Amino acid sequence: MKKLLMLGCIGAAVCAGAYPADGGKGVDDPAYSPAYFWFWNDRLEPAKLCAQLEDMRAHGLRNVCIHPMPKAFRPVWCSTKMEPDYLTPEFIDVYAKVVRRAGELGMHTYLYDEGGWPSGGACGLVAAADKEGRFVPRDIVLDKNGGVAVRERRYPQGRAAYPSVVEKGTTQKFIELTHDAYAPKLGKDLGTTSRIVFTDEPSRPGNRPDVSFGWTADFPEVFRAKKGYDIMPHVAELLRRYNDSDDRLAAMRIDIQDVMADLFVERYLLPLRDWCRAHGMLSGGHLNGEDVPENAPEYGHGSVLRSLRAMDVPGVDAIWRQLFPSVADMPAAALPFPRYASSAMRQNGGRFALSESFAIYGDSTTPAQMKWVVDYQLVRGINTFVFGAYAQSNAGSWMTAFEPHSGPVVPYWDFQPHWFGYVERSCRFMSQGRSGAEIAVLYDVRGLWAGGIDRETAAWNHYAIAKTLDRMNCDYDFVDDNQLAAAELLPDGRMKIGEMIYRAIVLPTSKWMLEAARKKCEEFKSAGGVLADAGDLSSVPRTLELTGAFARDFRVMKRVDGKRNLWLVMNESLYPRPVTLSFPESGAVVRYNAESDRYEQVSGDGRCYRRFEGGEAAIFITGDVPPAQVPAVYRGKRIEIADGWTLKKLVSHVAGDVDFEIKTCREEAHPAALGDWRTVLGDDFSGKALYRAEFNSPAAGRVKLDLGTVKWCAAVRLNGVDCGARFFGPFSWEIEVRKGKNILEVTVANLLANQTANESLRDRVSLQFPPKSPYDWRQRVFDRENHDSGLYGPVVIQLEK
C-alpha cells in the first residue's frame, strides 16, 4: 500500500519531464488539443489514411487516437474490413507510417493499446497464447452441495477472447504482444509524437450478485498474506447472503474487494505504467463503470481512486449521455465522476486528466450540448479530451453503429475548427499553475464495498455531498482513506495528500473508514483544520463568493499561477442567470476569451456583475493581470434584416444504399422566411444551405452582427469577404460594413440526425448488415431530437455609435 500512496511523487517527476510547464496561453503544445478515436475499420492504405489525418489537421485538430477495429473484435455485430490484421508486421508498418506523418504535421498520437476493447487481451492474442489456461477468467460459485467451487470461464469461440488481467503473467504477455510490438517500429516517435498510452476499460472478473465473486488461481493465498486469515470457510455464506446488512459479513466483503483492488493495480496498471515510463511515455486511460461507484464490486475495477492514481493520465468516460444538459433541476449535477480523474491527477502532481466523451450520444447532439458536456468536465478539472468518433469508413453497418459521426460525413465538419480551438485553449489555459482546491471529500469506498444498507448510505452521501458542494460554488477533490491514513499534517493546520494541500476534509458518516485515517482526521481537527460531515458543510471554505438568486447554478474551479489566480465559472443551468462575482483581490479583473484567444477588461475593483447565458462558461484572471482590451460597445443605430432573404441548398448528406453520399446541390435560390427550413427543404435534409439578403447602412465602419438563433452552425460572408464560422453560439461577429448597399450571406449547417433518424434507413441497415448494433436502440431514441434547422434570427446589425 505504501507503494500506491507514493504515486504522487513519482508521477510528478515523469510528467514534468515529458511535458514542460506552460509559460502562458501562447505555448504551442498539441497535448491539450482534443483528439478523436479514429476507428480503423477498413483496408489500411497509408495514402488514404494520411489524407484523413491531414484533413483532421486542416480542421484544427492536433491530436488523434488511432483505434484499431479488427475483424475478430465483435464479428457478429461490429463487422469491419480492417486489413492487414491487428498487430501483424504489416499492420505495425502502416501504423508507424501514419504516426510518422502525424509528427510531420505537428500532431500527437495516443497509443491505444487494444484492438477494440476492453484492453488487456490484444484482441484474443493473449488467450490464443495461453495454451495452459493460466490466464482464463475465474470466479467462485456455490456448488450443488452448498459448498463452493472455483469455476474457470472457458474462452469463447467466434470472437476475441478476453483473459483475466489479475492472473499472474497476463499483463506481461499483453505487453509483450502489444506494446513491445509497437516500440521498435515507432522508434523516435515513441515518447515524442506518440506520448500517451490509452488503456480502455480494462476489466477483472467482477461479482455477480448472489451468484459469484471474481477470483484468481492464487486468491486464497494472496488474501491470507494480506489480511491474515483464511477467507475460504466464509465464501459460501457470503455468496448466499450477498447483500445482507450484517457487519460481520460486510467486513469480509470489504477485505475481498480490498485485495482484488490491490491485485488490479499491482498486476495490471503498474506494469503498464512501468513500461510507459521506461519508454518515455505516460500511461493513461479509463476504467469501466467508474460513473456509478455503488456498482464497483460488479464492474470489477475495485477502488476507483486507487486505480486512477496508478495512471500518469487518469481518465473517465462520458458515454450514453450520462452527462447532458437538462431542465429538470440538472440531475447530471449529481454525477461527480470527472473529479475522480482530476483528483488523482492533482494528487499525483500530474498535468493531465482525461475524458473519453460523446460515445453513443447520437447524431442529434447539438453543438451547444457538446459544449455544455465539455465545460461541465472542464470546471471539474478535466483538461484533455478524446472524442468519439471519426471512422475511417462509414459504410455498411457503420452508417448507424456508432454515433455521433464525425469528419466530412457530418454537415458541420467545416465549422468545427471554432470548436476544436475553444476546447484546446480552454484546456491549456486552465492547466497553468496549480489547483486552488482546498477541500478533500472522502470517497467512502469501504462503505460501498460493505453491501446492504451501508452501500446505499455511502452512495447517497457521496452524491449528496458532491451536489451540495457544487451548489456552494466550491472546488474540491476526492480522497480515499488510505490517503488520509498516510497524509502529512502541516504546522499551519493543513493536510498534505500527495502534491495537494487541503484546509478542509469532509467525511461521510461511515463506520468502515480505516482507523488510522480516522485518527489522522482527529489530529487534523485538533490542529485547527476544518473537519465537516455530510450533515453540515457550512464550515468549509468557499472557493469564490457568488451572490444572486441563482448563485447555486454556478460551478467554479480555481488555479493559482504565481501572482495571479485563474477562475473558470460556469452557469450549468440552461437559462440566462445574472450573478455577482466577488473575487478575493480588490484590483482589476480580466477575462480570457477562449474563443477569440484574447484578454478583455471586466472590472477594476475585484467585483463583477455579469449575465451568463444558459450553459455559458467564462475564464477570469485576478492578481497580476495581463494587458487587456476594452470590449467595444455597440449602441448606435439598430438595423434588423427581417425580409428579403433567399435560401438555397449547397450540399446534402444522404444515406445511400451502402454509405453516406455527399452531394453538391445545383438548385436555384428561392425566397424564404427566417425560421425552420424544413418547410422548404424537407424534414430529412441534412447538409448546408445558403441564406442571402441585402441591407443598407447609413455609414461605413465597424458594426456588430448578431444572427440570433441558429440551428445549428453558421458561417458569414459580407460583400464577398469571409468573416468566420461559429460551431456554437452566440452567433455574433464584429465586421466592417460599407456605406449604402451590403450583401450578407450566411451558410448554415444542421445535423446528420435528419438522415439517421429515418427508421427505414435503420431498418434497412439492420436487414442488409445484420445484426444491429447493441447501441442502436439508444441512438434511435436520441436521434428523434433536434431536427429543426436553419437561420431563425432575428438578424440584427448594431452600429458602434
Side-chain angles (χ1 to χ4, degrees), residues 25 425 429 590-594 597-599 619 621:
K25 73 182 182 71
R425 287 187 288 270
F429 198 89
V590 166
R591 179 193 174 200
Y592 172 61
N593 188 326
D597 195 24
R598 67 183 184 186
Y599 296 112
I619 296 172
I621 308 162

Side-chain angles (χ1 to χ4, degrees), residues 487-517:
E488 177 186 357
L489 297 182
L490 301 179
D492 61 3
R494 296 182 297 168
M495 181 180 286
K496 188 173 188 293
I497 297 177
E499 298 300 310
M500 287 295 295
I501 297 175
Y502 301 106
R503 290 174 53 198
I505 306 295
V506 180
L507 300 181
T509 53
S510 171
K511 59 190 177 189
W512 297 111
M513 186 169 67
L514 287 174
E515 188 57 35

Side-chain angles (χ1 to χ4, degrees), residues 124-139:
L125 295 178
V126 172
D130 183 22
K131 304 303 182 184
E132 300 174 355
R134 292 183 298 130
F135 310 147
V136 295
R138 293 173 172 86
D139 54 18

Side-chain angles (χ1 to χ4, degrees), residues 587-633:
V589 179
V590 166
R591 179 193 174 200
Y592 172 61
N593 188 326
E595 288 187 60
S596 62
D597 195 24
R598 67 183 184 186
Y599 296 112
E600 301 168 354
Q601 288 187 11
V602 174
S603 167
D605 63 357
R607 288 172 61 85
C608 169
Y609 175 82
R610 180 180 177 86
R611 180 181 184 272
F612 282 74
E613 296 300 322
E616 182 183 357
I619 296 172
F620 300 97
I621 308 162
T622 58
D624 187 9
V625 300
Q629 300 175 351
V630 178
V633 178

Side-chain angles (χ1 to χ4, degrees), residues 425-442:
R425 287 187 288 270
S426 297
C427 289
R428 184 175 64 225
F429 198 89
M430 291 308 297
S431 298
Q432 297 175 97
R434 60 174 177 82
S435 170
E438 298 181 304
I439 304 167
V441 178
L442 174 65

Side-chain angles (χ1 to χ4, degrees), residues 484-766:
L484 289 174
E488 177 186 357
L489 297 182
L490 301 179
D492 61 3
R494 296 182 297 168
M495 181 180 286
K496 188 173 188 293
I497 297 177
E499 298 300 310
M500 287 295 295
I501 297 175
Y502 301 106
R503 290 174 53 198
I505 306 295
V506 180
L507 300 181
T509 53
S510 171
K511 59 190 177 189
W512 297 111
M513 186 169 67
L514 287 174
E515 188 57 35
R518 194 183 305 277
K519 181 178 179 182
K520 186 65 63 73
C521 288
E522 290 170 357
E523 295 173 0
F524 170 71
K525 183 178 180 181
S526 298
V530 176
L531 191 65
D533 61 38
D536 183 8
L537 299 176
S538 60
S539 61
V540 302
R542 301 287 183 103
T543 301
L544 179 63
E545 183 182 346
L546 279 75
T547 52
F550 303 104
R552 70 181 228 165
D553 289 342
F554 288 82
R555 307 293 170 257
V556 177
M557 182 176 75
K558 178 184 179 182
R559 302 284 297 181
V560 179
D561 185 31
K563 296 182 179 180
R564 64 177 185 167
N565 289 326
L566 314 177
W567 312 82
L568 177 58
V569 181
M570 179 187 179
N571 170 20
E572 284 190 356
S573 81
L574 301 185
Y575 306 104
R577 295 292 192 237
V579 70
T580 298
L581 299 89
S582 299
F583 296 95
E585 301 88 350
S586 59
V589 179
V590 166
R591 179 193 174 200
Y592 172 61
N593 188 326
E595 288 187 60
S596 62
D597 195 24
R598 67 183 184 186
Y599 296 112
E600 301 168 354
Q601 288 187 11
V602 174
S603 167
D605 63 357
R607 288 172 61 85
C608 169
Y609 175 82
R610 180 180 177 86
R611 180 181 184 272
F612 282 74
E613 296 300 322
E616 182 183 357
I619 296 172
F620 300 97
I621 308 162
T622 58
D624 187 9
V625 300
Q629 300 175 351
V630 178
V633 178
Y634 294 90
R635 295 176 178 169
K637 184 176 179 180
R638 183 178 184 273
I639 304 170
E640 181 175 349
I641 311 173
D643 303 310
W645 289 95
T646 62
L647 174 64
K648 71 172 182 177
K649 292 182 182 179
L650 294 177
V651 178
S652 65
H653 293 240
V654 180
D657 291 338
V658 295
D659 200 351
F660 291 98
E661 300 170 5
I662 303 173
K663 302 178 179 180
T664 300
C665 303
R666 305 296 182 186
E667 300 178 8
E668 295 295 321
H670 301 281
L674 297 182
D676 194 338
W677 74 28
R678 289 181 295 171
T679 59
V680 178
L681 305 184
D683 289 341
D684 61 354
F685 174 71
S686 287
K688 294 189 279 286
L690 176 67
Y691 290 84
R692 185 182 185 278
E694 298 178 1
F695 67 93
N696 288 306
S697 173
R702 197 159 186 81
V703 302
K704 180 179 180 180
L705 167 65
D706 191 332
L707 298 182
T709 299
V710 175
K711 298 191 175 181
W712 296 97
C713 309
V716 167
R717 282 170 60 91
L718 182 68
N719 300 320
V721 177
D722 288 326
C723 301
R726 299 279 189 274
F727 183 62
F728 53 82
F731 294 97
S732 61
W733 287 257
E734 292 181 347
I735 58 177
E736 296 283 342
V737 298
R738 300 170 181 166
K739 182 178 180 180
K741 178 181 173 182
N742 290 264
I743 299 174
L744 176 64
E745 296 173 297
V746 181
T747 300
V748 174
N750 69 343
L751 309 177
L752 194 62
N754 291 63
Q755 277 287 300
T756 56
N758 188 310
E759 290 292 333
S760 63
L761 163 69
R762 306 192 83 96
D763 291 340
R764 172 166 56 81
V765 170
S766 297

Side-chain angles (χ1 to χ4, degrees), residues 27-266:
V27 172
D28 186 30
D29 188 342
Y32 297 108
S33 170
Y36 272 111
F37 271 151
W38 186 13
F39 287 151
W40 281 12
N41 61 350
D42 205 347
R43 181 161 186 80
L44 304 179
E45 300 177 28
K48 291 182 178 179
L49 291 169
C50 288
Q52 287 190 339
L53 191 70
E54 290 158 6
D55 181 51
M56 292 183 213
R57 183 66 189 93
H59 282 77
L61 288 168
R62 303 202 296 161
N63 235 341
V64 67
C65 186
I66 300 169
H67 192 308
M69 298 292 275
K71 294 176 182 179
F73 166 51
R74 297 285 190 270
V76 175
W77 64 265
C78 187
S79 175
T80 85
K81 299 178 181 179
M82 195 189 88
E83 293 180 0
D85 200 8
Y86 183 56
L87 294 181
T88 60
E90 295 79 10
F91 170 87
I92 298 291
D93 283 343
V94 174
Y95 189 98
K97 289 176 182 177
V98 174
V99 171
R100 191 172 308 119
R101 180 60 181 145
E104 293 169 354
L105 293 169
M107 299 178 72
H108 289 172
T109 64
Y110 287 85
L111 198 167
Y112 188 84
D113 67 5
E114 187 54 72
W117 65 87
S119 290
C123 198
L125 295 178
V126 172
D130 183 22
K131 304 303 182 184
E132 300 174 355
R134 292 183 298 130
F135 310 147
V136 295
R138 293 173 172 86
D139 54 18
I140 192 165
V141 299
L142 291 169
D143 63 23
K144 295 179 180 180
N145 300 318
V148 294
V150 175
R151 180 176 59 183
E152 296 184 354
R153 303 179 192 171
R154 293 183 179 180
Y155 293 129
Q157 301 298 314
R159 56 174 285 183
Y162 188 68
S164 171
V165 299
V166 289
E167 293 290 351
K168 282 184 178 179
T170 304
T171 303
Q172 286 69 26
K173 176 58 69 172
F174 173 55
I175 290 172
E176 174 191 325
L177 292 170
T178 305
H179 305 65
D180 288 345
Y182 283 115
K185 286 291 186 178
L186 290 180
K188 65 179 182 180
D189 288 316
L190 202 71
T192 53
T193 300
S194 189
R195 298 162 78 177
I196 300 173
V197 172
F198 190 119
T199 199
D200 194 4
E201 298 186 0
S203 299
R204 65 161 176 85
N207 296 350
R208 285 183 284 180
D210 305 312
V211 175
S212 66
F213 292 139
W215 213 247
T216 68
D218 61 346
F219 188 80
E221 293 77 17
V222 173
F223 185 94
R224 188 181 298 108
K226 287 179 176 284
K227 296 301 179 182
Y229 68 96
D230 186 0
I231 192 62
M232 293 303 295
H234 309 286
V235 173
E237 184 181 12
L238 287 166
L239 286 171
R240 286 194 298 269
R241 302 176 61 188
Y242 183 86
N243 204 40
D244 283 7
S245 296
D246 180 295
D247 285 1
R248 179 181 61 86
L249 298 177
M252 289 187 284
R253 291 187 197 114
I254 291 170
D255 283 347
I256 289 174
Q257 291 301 315
D258 196 26
V259 172
M260 288 299 280
D262 274 356
L263 288 178
F264 184 57
V265 170
E266 294 166 2

